[in-house]
Amino acid sequence: MTQPHIMLVDGMALLFRSYHATAPMNQFFRKQDGTPTNGVQGFARHVLTAQALMKPTHLAICWDMGSKTFRNDIYDGYKANRPAPPEEMLPQFDMAREISEMIGWKNFGLKGMEADDTIGSLVEKWKGEAQITVVSGDRDLLQLLNPTTTIALTKKGYSEYNPYTLERFHEEYAIRPEQFADVKAFMGDSSDGYPGVKGIGPKTALQLIQKHASVQGVIDAIEQLTAGQRTKIDADREMLQISLELARIKTDLIIEAAIDDLRLPLWDAAKMNHLIVQEYGLVARHATSLFK
């Protein structure tokens, strides 16, 4: 029997990507009541294009739920440098989830968790029962790779991806996927607002984990390191442990769902176009391009 092919989509990543692709040109594609829809329309087009390319049998969209997560409790500076979403984007978060439901895509998100944690827990839940493709622009998700899971990183436009399999990851990094969080703990992540160990960059961070396997392994072998590395790690040892907690994606969330809940409905382009344009009120001249 052929296994299901589940596509798990990082909804936040695609929504923000789509919004920022058009907002600088003031292309907000407003509804008749003035509500902007540019992020939502790009998001829907992106998922539909990925669906056509990757041909999943099942699909789910994963979302952050709220601006604060458990990582903010661990470290006040987590994502503190990110600006608040622009006003034109605010109504599009709920709109994107509503349109996902209309099309038949299952939405998932847990309060206090990020989309990454929901994706990680769904991968862990179904990795033995399905082939899984994760669609996102976030390289942190590489730590979820396994023999049945591919991470398709967005690359250009709506149809170009940079896919990672377990084999490719091993060739490039020479570590296990779960060790990627240990690498991030040393190098930090400026976009997420945590520094890691100051003075240790991506190359050295990877070399340390390749040789010593984990953050704890490096600490246990600290006398074997260079004097400079020892000084840097000793100065930031507390932040190193915090950074590891921030970098590691949760895979143990309890998510009540069955694979069949994610099965894609059968739509033809005309019927879907009518649903979105007529029932939801998106601007027809832009919505028609979503479903070609």
Side-chain angles (χ1 to χ4, degrees):
M1 183 177 177
T2 303
Q3 280 192 321
H5 177 195
I6 303 173
M7 190 165 83
L8 300 176
V9 177
D10 183 346
M12 302 303 294
L14 295 194
L15 184 62
F16 272 93
R17 176 186 174 92
S18 298
Y19 175 86
H20 289 295
T22 50
M25 288 79 73
N26 291 318
Q27 294 178 332
F28 293 111
F29 310 153
R30 297 180 185 274
K31 293 166 61 176
Q32 289 183 350
D33 65 3
T35 305
T37 68
N38 60 317
V40 172
Q41 294 206 37
F43 156 77
R45 181 177 176 184
H46 214 137
V47 178
L48 286 163
T49 302
Q51 184 178 325
L53 287 170
M54 300 173 193
K55 303 188 185 320
T57 57
H58 299 65
L59 193 150
I61 315 290
C62 298
W63 303 96
D64 295 355
M65 298 302 289
S67 59
K68 300 293 184 183
T69 71
F70 76 95
R71 290 181 177 86
N72 298 104
D73 296 329
I74 295 171
Y75 180 53
D76 287 343
Y78 184 70
K79 293 189 176 179
N81 58 345
R82 292 194 182 183
E87 182 180 351
E88 289 85 1
M89 195 171 184
L90 296 179
Q92 300 193 57
F93 294 110
D94 287 342
M95 194 189 308
R97 287 190 286 269
E98 291 167 6
I99 284 185
S100 294
E101 291 176 5
M102 283 185 179
I103 295 174
W105 301 330
K106 183 75 171 177
N107 286 314
F108 288 98
L110 295 173
K111 186 176 180 180
M113 300 294 162
E114 296 183 45
D116 288 5
D117 303 305
T118 301
I119 291 170
S121 297
L122 290 175
V123 168
E124 183 66 23
K125 181 181 179 72
W126 288 321
K127 66 183 180 182
E129 302 176 56
Q131 295 294 315
I132 300 172
T133 301
V134 177
V135 174
S136 177
D138 188 352
R139 295 182 73 86
D140 288 352
L141 290 163
L142 294 177
Q143 63 189 272
L144 303 178
L145 284 165
N146 61 60
T148 61
T149 299
T150 297
I151 309 297
L153 297 173
T154 52
K155 186 176 179 182
K156 184 180 178 182
Y158 294 101
S159 59
E160 291 190 29
Y161 288 90
N162 182 19
Y164 271 84
T165 61
L166 184 60
E167 292 73 22
R168 179 186 173 187
F169 182 85
H170 282 154
E171 289 174 5
E172 289 192 16
Y173 291 95
I175 58 173
R176 300 186 308 277
E178 61 268 25
Q179 293 173 295
F180 195 57
D182 295 80
V183 175
K184 291 292 297 287
F186 279 102
M187 62 182 274
D189 189 321
S190 58
S191 67
D192 283 343
Y194 61 92
V197 176
K198 293 183 180 68
I200 291 186
K203 183 177 179 180
T204 300
L206 180 58
Q207 289 172 344
L208 288 171
I209 299 306
Q210 287 171 337
K211 185 172 183 179
H212 302 290
S214 66
V215 166
Q216 189 58 51
V218 173
I219 291 171
D220 291 344
I222 198 162
E223 294 304 319
Q224 301 174 28
L225 307 184
T226 67
Q229 290 171 345
R230 290 199 304 270
T231 299
K232 292 168 186 174
I233 291 170
D234 283 337
D236 274 332
R237 191 173 294 201
E238 182 179 0
M239 180 50 68
L240 175 60
Q241 295 295 344
I242 290 172
S243 296
L244 181 59
E245 286 188 77
L246 298 174
R248 185 173 287 140
I249 294 173
K250 282 188 171 292
T251 60
D252 59 353
L253 304 180
I254 297 174
I255 300 174
E256 299 293 344
I259 289 179
D260 279 349
D261 295 338
L262 279 62
R263 186 175 295 277
L264 284 163
L266 296 176
W267 291 100
D268 59 53
K271 187 175 180 181
M272 186 182 290
N273 201 35
H274 173 82
L275 173 78
I276 301 302
V277 177
Q278 301 299 325
E279 299 297 328
Y280 205 77
L282 293 187
V283 181
R285 68 178 179 274
H286 300 299
T288 51
S289 68
L290 300 180
F291 312 114
K292 291 180 180 179

